[in-house]
Amino acid sequence: MRRVEHGREILDGPTPAPDRAASLADVERLNAWFGGHALTVRHVARALRSVPPARPVRILDVGAGAGHLAVRLVRWARAAGRPIRVIALDRDIGPARAATRSYPEIAVLSGDAAALPVRPGAVDLVVSSLV
């Protein structure tokens, strides 16, 4: 496969909703098969070891796509008995809003990864996977 420098991915620009949904489903399937989300959750757990378990943590998921990582972070926190708040940030929030509807710990926010709409100190940890 030839490397394309300075190329744009399908999800970097306007994409018809069915194509975006199919691409995000592919990303989720690959993360499930190859353990991408599990690896990220493990690293988040390690990064938060120094935070007292009863203290609520705030995580910003930059480039959240369909919100699958945010959901996995909340499931991990629930199982660990850890209070959590995840902000799922993406330019197109429709897919994440639909996937995270039943997770009150997740707020979905429209924004640009190059100009994060959060003030310094507003979150404890920032994650960004496959962005």
Side-chain angles (χ1 to χ4, degrees):
M1 194 188 280
R2 186 174 65 81
R3 181 180 174 155
V4 178
E5 294 202 27
H6 309 293
R8 287 179 54 117
E9 293 184 11
I10 278 182
L11 296 177
D12 286 344
T15 308
D19 293 344
R20 179 174 285 285
S23 184
L24 291 171
D26 287 343
V27 169
E28 174 60 10
R29 194 170 21 264
L30 292 170
N31 269 312
W33 285 349
F34 297 111
H37 288 324
L39 179 65
T40 303
V41 170
R42 236 183 356 262
H43 283 285
V44 166
R46 185 179 314 137
L48 295 175
R49 279 188 198 146
S50 63
V51 178
R55 181 178 152 312
V57 294
R58 297 162 309 217
I59 299 175
L60 174 62
D61 179 8
V62 177
H68 297 124
L69 177 57
V71 167
R72 297 212 185 204
L73 289 167
V74 168
R75 288 180 182 165
W76 160 77
R78 286 177 179 178
R82 175 160 223 146
I84 191 171
R85 180 76 170 160
V86 180
I87 302 167
L89 176 80
D90 205 280
R91 272 189 265 178
D92 177 5
I93 60 171
R97 184 150 296 185
T100 63
R101 195 166 276 128
S102 61
Y103 293 87
E105 299 96 332
I106 301 172
V108 179
L109 180 63
S110 178
D112 186 342
L116 296 176
V118 295
R119 66 185 185 283
V123 297
D124 299 297
L125 188 66
V126 176
V127 295
S128 186
S129 176
L130 299 175
V131 175

